[in-house]
């Protein structure tokens, strides 16, 4: 069965800006390397290349510099020769109210939530605290090269609205929702299902399709949501067919045991959500570390998406994600930093972790049937086009094709002498991308453009 296509959103009406060309080495992924015969076929590179950006922030041409310049002779050129220009990175799982608590020591998921996370999230009752956190959160996201993210909002309507406001101010493409829970959580974070419905409706009316912002129904996870809360989520999904859905799935063994105790009639963790009609192409499930074959089949059958969060899975000792099993079933898997289960905002570093997890799976756990080696090209796919596909936004973002939004990042090897030399010593673009993914990071990101406008420049805070 072919996956139902989601209607692309209309062209945004951002105000006109001066068109320009950007010159540099243009690199992007044009299709899914996990379904193609060889990686190289999915990579497009223009060594001395250029992008032309139109007055509305769309890419109007991509190609060799001489060709693009000939047909766009009257517009200014930003010369980034020597730099690598990549599409904006896409983070498919991150928590806004954990913006300020990365690096909390020594616990697995359930204790980590109780000890550090719930008390931190309770602070978002204060609008002042939420406002300060939102400014840091989105600034950091963009400085790390992320231009689109699927975000767990706060448990509070006001704090979630504040985060939407900040995203809009920075032109960041945020897909986000108020996180909801009605039991088994710190009392400050509890919201009755009826109240969750009313608050979600208000947020949806204010923020879903507000410019390029979108709303995502966000039950925290099955253990903190009663059947009544899951029914509210179902109702909201039915009332808003193009809305997104996000939650956690099969992250940690203790968590899974708890889900079975709480929902004895469900045949699996995934089935808890399935019974409420919460699976589908707009649904993104974070982790899926311990999903059974039956659950993976069901994710595939419903075209549900998976956010792989390798740094978080290692940090909290959750397990080695069986990536290959998901890919073999055709599931779209993209990356999530899972701040603050994950240890950093960098999707380049998330690629690094994803690679290592597969190596551990292959050689240490000796389960090669569950592992897949991740080349530079595959890693770039996971952090860009896969994210766009997971969010059904691949007609607008994910690579640098003509007609897409001009969301791109300028990687400047001169910012780090070691990496500059290492890249010079590296032959193929596949291997260069692998170097960037494993040892690269924020220090290399000179500029970030969103909708063709500068959103971050090193050492300048726009
Ligand atoms: N499961 C429920 N809540 C959370 C959370 O905040 N982070 C992670 N990693 N897993 C969760
Ligand atoms: Zn999470």
């Amino acid at each position: 069965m072919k996956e139902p296509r989601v209607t692309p959103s209309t062209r945004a009406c951002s105000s006109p800006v001066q068109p320009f060309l950007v010159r540099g080495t243009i690199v992007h992924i044009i299709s899914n390397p996990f379904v193609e015969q060889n990686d190289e076929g999915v990579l497009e590179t223009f060594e001395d290349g250029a992008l032309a950006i139109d007055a509305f922030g769309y890419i109007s041409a991509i190609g060799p510099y001489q060709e693009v310049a000939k047909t766009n002779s009257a517009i200014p050129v930003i010369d980034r020769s020597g730099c690598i220009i990549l599409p904006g990175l896409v983070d498919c799982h991150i928590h806004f109210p954990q913006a300020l608590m990365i690096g909390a020591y020594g616990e697995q998921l359930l204790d980590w939530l109780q000890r550090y996370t719930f008390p931190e999230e309770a602070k978002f009752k204060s609008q002042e605290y939420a406002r300060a956190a939102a400014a840091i959160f989105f600034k950091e996201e963009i400085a790390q090269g992320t231009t689109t993210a699927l975000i767990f909002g706060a448990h509070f309507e006001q704090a979630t609205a504040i985060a939407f406001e900040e995203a809009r101010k920075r032109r960041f493409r945020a897909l986000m929702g108020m996180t909801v829970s009605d039991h088994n959580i710190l009392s400050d974070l509890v919201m009755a299902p009826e109240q969750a419905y009313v608050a979600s409706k208000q947020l949806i009316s204010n923020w879903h399709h507000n410019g390029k912002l979108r709303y995502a129904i966000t039950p925290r996870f099955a253990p903190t949501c009663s059947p009544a809360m899951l029914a509210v989520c179902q109702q909201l999904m039915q009332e808003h067919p193009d809305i997104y859905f996000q939650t956690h799935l099969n992250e940690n063994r203790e968590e899974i045991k708890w889900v079975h105790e709480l929902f004895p009639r469900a045949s699996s963790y995934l089935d808890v959500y399935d019974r409420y009609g919460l699976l589908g192409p707009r649904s993104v499930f974070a982790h899926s570390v311990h999903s059974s074959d039956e659950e993976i089949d069901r994710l595939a059958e419903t075209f549900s998406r998976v956010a792989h969060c390798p740094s978080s899975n290692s940090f909290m000792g959750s397990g080695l994600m069986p990536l290959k099993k998901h890919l073999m079933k055709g599931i779209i898997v993209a990356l999530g930093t899972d701040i603050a289960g994950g240890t950093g905002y960098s999707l380049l570093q998330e690629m690094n972790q994803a690679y290592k997890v597969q190596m551990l799976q292959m050689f240490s756990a000796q389960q090669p049937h569950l592992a897949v080696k991740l080349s530079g090209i595959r890693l770039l796919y996971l952090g860009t086009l896969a994210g766009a596909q997971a969010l059904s936004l691949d007609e607008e973002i994910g690579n640098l094709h003509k007609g897409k939004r001009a969301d791109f990042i300028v990687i400047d090897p001169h910012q780090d002498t070691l990496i500059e030399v290492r890249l010079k010593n590296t032959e193929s673009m596949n291997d260069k991308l692998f170097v960037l993914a494993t040892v690269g990071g924020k220090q290399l990101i000179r500029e970030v453009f969103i909708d063709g406008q500068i959103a971050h420049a090193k050492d300048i805070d726009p």
Side-chain angles (χ1 to χ4, degrees):
M1 198 171 84
K2 200 166 155 30
E3 175 192 334
R5 192 71 214 169
V6 185
T7 342
S9 60
T10 47
R11 282 174 85 89
C13 317
S14 43
S15 46
V17 291
Q18 166 72 52
F20 65 97
L21 297 190
V22 58
R23 180 179 190 176
T25 299
I26 314 285
V27 181
H28 67 160
I29 303 293
I30 55 177
S31 60
N32 184 342
F34 298 110
V35 300
E36 302 295 336
Q37 291 303 318
N38 71 41
D39 283 7
E40 303 292 337
V42 308
L43 182 73
E44 187 169 60
T45 303
F46 299 99
E47 200 60 51
D48 178 16
L51 297 175
I53 314 302
D54 73 14
F56 295 93
Y58 288 86
I59 298 168
S60 58
I62 173 173
Y65 172 70
Q66 294 302 342
E67 274 179 30
V68 176
K70 209 185 302 169
T71 45
N72 294 274
S73 55
I75 59 179
V77 179
I78 298 178
D79 192 350
R80 293 291 176 262
S81 300
C83 295
I84 297 174
I85 294 171
L86 300 176
L89 305 172
V90 182
D91 190 340
C92 285
H93 184 66
I94 182 165
H95 296 255
F96 157 59
Q98 297 172 22
L100 308 180
M101 59 158 287
I102 48 175
Y105 175 74
E107 305 287 358
Q108 279 204 280
L109 176 66
L110 299 181
D111 292 328
W112 176 84
L113 288 171
Q114 291 289 347
R115 179 160 180 197
Y116 302 114
T117 315
F118 296 155
E120 173 64 20
E121 294 204 18
K123 295 180 191 167
F124 285 71
K125 201 172 180 174
S126 153
Q127 294 181 33
E128 251 178 25
Y129 193 83
R131 204 162 280 117
I136 295 170
F137 179 84
F138 287 105
K139 179 169 184 259
E140 188 62 22
E141 279 279 80
I142 296 169
Q144 298 276 7
T146 302
T147 53
T148 296
L150 177 62
I151 306 168
F152 272 55
H155 276 273
F156 303 97
E157 182 184 345
Q158 278 310 323
T160 303
I162 285 166
F164 268 123
E165 271 164 31
E166 185 68 26
R168 191 177 158 91
K169 191 175 104 190
R170 291 180 182 266
R171 291 190 296 276
F172 187 89
R173 187 186 290 266
L175 292 69
M176 181 164 50
M178 181 180 71
T179 304
V180 296
S181 295
D182 62 338
H183 68 162
N184 295 332
I185 195 166
L186 194 67
S187 60
D188 288 359
L189 303 179
V190 166
M191 189 179 276
E194 307 73 41
Q195 196 192 344
Y197 176 81
V198 172
S200 301
K201 284 300 258 192
Q202 188 61 50
L203 286 164
I204 291 167
S205 128
N206 290 344
W207 298 104
H208 189 51
H209 289 284
N210 181 329
K212 58 188 186 175
L213 302 173
R214 298 288 182 272
Y215 197 81
I217 308 297
T218 309
R220 182 162 204 129
F221 68 155
T224 61
C225 294
S226 70
M229 184 63 100
L230 294 170
V232 160
C233 295
Q234 178 175 32
Q235 188 180 346
L236 289 166
M237 299 273 285
Q238 285 167 350
E239 289 172 357
H240 302 276
D242 72 339
I243 213 137
Y244 289 87
F245 174 85
Q246 59 180 341
T247 193
H248 295 92
L249 173 72
N250 286 320
E251 177 177 0
N252 163 288
R253 292 204 186 278
E254 288 299 313
E255 169 212 22
I256 295 166
K257 222 161 68 191
W258 195 20
V259 171
H260 287 307
E261 285 162 20
L262 289 165
F263 295 91
R265 283 217 287 270
S267 61
S268 68
Y269 192 156
L270 185 67
D271 190 47
V272 173
Y273 301 129
D274 204 359
R275 286 164 170 248
Y276 291 90
L278 302 174
L279 280 55
R282 293 232 152 194
S283 299
V284 180
F285 294 91
H287 300 283
S288 197
V289 174
H290 304 287
S291 294
S292 65
D293 290 351
E294 291 71 26
E295 289 174 296
I296 292 174
D297 283 345
R298 186 67 187 142
L299 286 167
E301 214 170 80
T302 55
F303 305 104
S304 298
R305 316 312 207 204
V306 168
H308 174 32
C309 308
S311 119
S312 168
N313 295 339
S314 300
F315 185 65
M316 291 205 280
S318 300
L320 303 176
M321 199 265 197
L323 180 59
K324 190 170 178 181
K325 272 192 171 183
H326 290 75
L327 295 172
M328 279 172 57
K329 295 290 177 178
I331 296 169
I332 294 175
V333 181
L335 293 177
T337 56
D338 193 25
I339 293 291
T343 47
Y345 286 73
S346 169
L347 276 161
L348 291 175
Q349 277 310 301
E350 208 60 46
M351 296 175 195
N352 181 21
Q353 298 302 325
Y355 174 79
K356 289 176 184 170
V357 164
Q358 294 310 305
M359 293 301 272
L360 285 171
Q361 184 87 270
M362 198 169 304
F363 299 113
S364 176
Q366 301 200 340
Q367 295 191 300
H369 60 292
L370 302 182
V372 55
K373 264 198 171 176
L374 295 174
S375 63
I377 289 170
R378 289 173 170 192
L379 290 169
L380 182 62
Y381 165 74
L382 287 173
T384 57
L385 186 58
Q389 290 169 337
L391 303 178
S392 303
L393 290 172
D394 47 311
E395 296 196 353
E396 296 181 59
I397 56 162
N399 60 25
L400 302 171
H401 279 321
K402 179 178 171 183
K404 293 208 181 181
R405 291 300 194 96
D407 291 358
F408 61 90
I409 66 180
V410 178
I411 304 262
D412 183 1
H414 310 302
Q415 307 284 335
D416 185 321
T417 312
L418 171 63
I419 292 178
E420 185 179 16
V421 173
R422 178 68 181 94
L423 288 174
K424 275 201 184 119
N425 292 340
T426 309
E427 277 292 304
S428 70
M429 186 50 73
N430 191 9
D431 288 343
K432 285 183 202 285
L433 290 171
F434 188 73
V435 169
L436 289 179
T438 47
V439 295
K442 182 179 175 181
Q443 82 278 20
L444 298 174
I445 299 177
R446 175 165 168 178
E447 287 150 329
V448 178
F449 287 80
I450 302 183
D451 295 336
Q453 296 183 52
I454 190 88
H456 165 79
K458 216 165 192 315
D459 305 324
I460 304 172
D461 185 13

